[in-house]
Amino acid sequence: MTMEDRFVGADSPTDLTTSYSDHRACPVRDVLDRLGDKWSTLILVTLSQSPQRFNALTRAVPDISRRMLTETLRHLERDGLIWRKVTPSTPPMVSYGLTPLGTSLMPPLNALIAWAERNQPEIAAVRARFDGPIANG
Amino acid sequence: MTMEDRFVGADSPTDLTTSYSDHRACPVRDVLDRLGDKWSTLILVTLSQSPQRFNALTRAVPDISRRMLTETLRHLERDGLIWRKVTPSTPPMVSYGLTPLGTSLMPPLNALIAWAERNQPEIAAVRARFDGPIANG
DNA sequence: CTGTATCCTAAGCGATACTG
DNA sequence: CAGTATCGCTTAGGATACAG
């Protein structure tokens, strides 16, 4: 085991590609592709603070459209990551929150977010160097 | 601190939305949006096994087109996650591998992949229940 | 072998208007 | 309040052909 192996850790995932006769059938891709859309992560993080009503979510994520909010919530509910509770009052009240499954996703997700936060300055610097030579001549 | 807080961990990320006058300027979104495309994760995992040449990557990820492989590699290089080494032989030989920055991404990324792998059966079951009622009538 | 260039389609997403 | 319906733009991404 090399130093790099130790750093990467022993939790290397199983093969994501050649194990599957149909490559699109990979269960990891199946799950992660849904998380890779524009809003899912943001909604999950918001709901991990506390359950929220629909309108509260539009305020917490100001640049999402109602259409995309509805769609994202439905996808997350379909995957069992969030629950949806309807209180049939007038006006109606609909709340959303993390399920235990959704909660179990937050540690790895927060770790990834923390990595992004920690390393964004370096990434921005590398990008500038990468793009610079062309821009600067 | 609740049990859930402990489970989620103390590394809850900073605000991803309202902290930014322009919501698209969030540095975390800036980094994560690039990782959310169809191929980046797969390429990173593949390269974390060992550095690879272009053609080896097309074999390791059989369902990627050369166009998308080139584009994904460029993006990852631009973000400083992978390096690119050209050996000007004939025919030319180009290798790719993880940079230290890219390597530092693998633990959180592998943790997320491991979560997806662990929970895919449950997610599939929930999906079936969610979709079932309509399909079954 | 390692790409580029071009064309094309499908999907993601936003804007807007409407509804119980 | 919490959505749905419709439209159209923009982008991601696949297929194919060509090139150094």
Side-chain angles (χ1 to χ4, degrees):
Chain A
M1 179 182 260
T2 66
M3 250 175 71
E4 194 168 310
D5 285 333
R6 271 209 310 284
F7 187 55
V8 169
D11 56 339
S12 273
T14 57
D15 190 4
L16 265 40
T17 55
T18 47
S19 311
Y20 304 96
S21 53
D22 182 350
H23 308 292
R24 292 155 305 191
C26 169
V28 175
R29 293 202 217 182
D30 184 37
V31 172
L32 258 40
D33 283 357
R34 281 250 47 83
L35 256 46
D37 65 20
K38 189 172 182 180
W39 300 110
S40 288
T41 299
L42 217 39
I43 299 295
L44 287 171
V45 168
T46 303
L47 289 179
S48 75
Q49 317 293 334
S50 74
Q52 310 252 347
R53 296 176 54 180
F54 188 89
N55 244 16
L57 285 169
T58 66
R59 265 175 276 113
V61 187
D63 53 345
I64 196 174
S65 64
R66 266 176 321 216
R67 193 176 94 74
M68 287 314 298
L69 179 55
T70 304
E71 190 176 309
T72 304
L73 289 168
R74 284 292 179 286
H75 285 152
L76 294 174
E77 186 193 1
R78 185 175 106 97
D79 283 5
L81 300 176
I82 67 173
W83 48 257
R84 175 176 185 268
K85 190 176 65 175
V86 181
T87 307
S89 51
T90 49
M93 166 170 126
V94 183
S95 310
Y96 296 90
L98 293 192
T99 61
L101 183 62
T103 302
S104 78
L105 171 58
M106 295 315 294
L109 198 55
N110 281 331
L112 192 67
I113 291 169
W115 182 93
E117 202 168 12
R118 247 196 333 276
N119 295 283
Q120 192 272 343
E122 181 172 348
I123 292 175
V126 175
R127 279 185 191 166
R129 253 182 289 135
F130 190 92
D131 298 343
I134 295 105
N136 299 344
Chain B
M1 177 182 259
T2 67
M3 251 176 73
E4 193 168 309
D5 286 332
R6 273 208 307 286
F7 186 53
V8 169
D11 54 340
S12 273
T14 57
D15 190 5
L16 264 42
T17 54
T18 46
S19 312
Y20 305 96
S21 53
D22 184 350
H23 308 293
R24 292 155 304 191
C26 170
V28 174
R29 292 203 216 182
D30 184 38
V31 172
L32 257 39
D33 284 357
R34 281 250 47 85
L35 256 47
D37 66 19
K38 190 172 181 181
W39 300 110
S40 289
T41 299
L42 217 40
I43 299 296
L44 287 170
V45 168
T46 304
L47 290 179
S48 74
Q49 317 293 332
S50 75
Q52 310 253 347
R53 297 178 52 182
F54 188 90
N55 242 18
L57 285 169
T58 67
R59 265 176 275 112
V61 187
D63 53 344
I64 196 174
S65 65
R66 266 177 321 216
R67 192 175 95 72
M68 288 315 296
L69 179 54
T70 304
E71 189 176 311
T72 304
L73 289 168
R74 284 292 178 286
H75 284 152
L76 294 174
E77 186 193 2
R78 184 175 107 96
D79 283 4
L81 300 175
I82 67 172
W83 48 257
R84 176 176 184 269
K85 190 175 65 177
V86 181
T87 308
S89 52
T90 50
M93 167 170 124
V94 183
S95 309
Y96 297 89
L98 294 192
T99 60
L101 182 63
T103 302
S104 78
L105 171 58
M106 296 315 294
L109 198 55
N110 282 332
L112 192 67
I113 291 170
W115 181 93
E117 203 168 10
R118 244 193 339 274
N119 295 282
Q120 193 273 342
E122 180 171 351
I123 291 176
V126 176
R127 279 185 190 165
R129 254 183 289 136
F130 190 93
D131 298 343
I134 296 107
N136 301 342

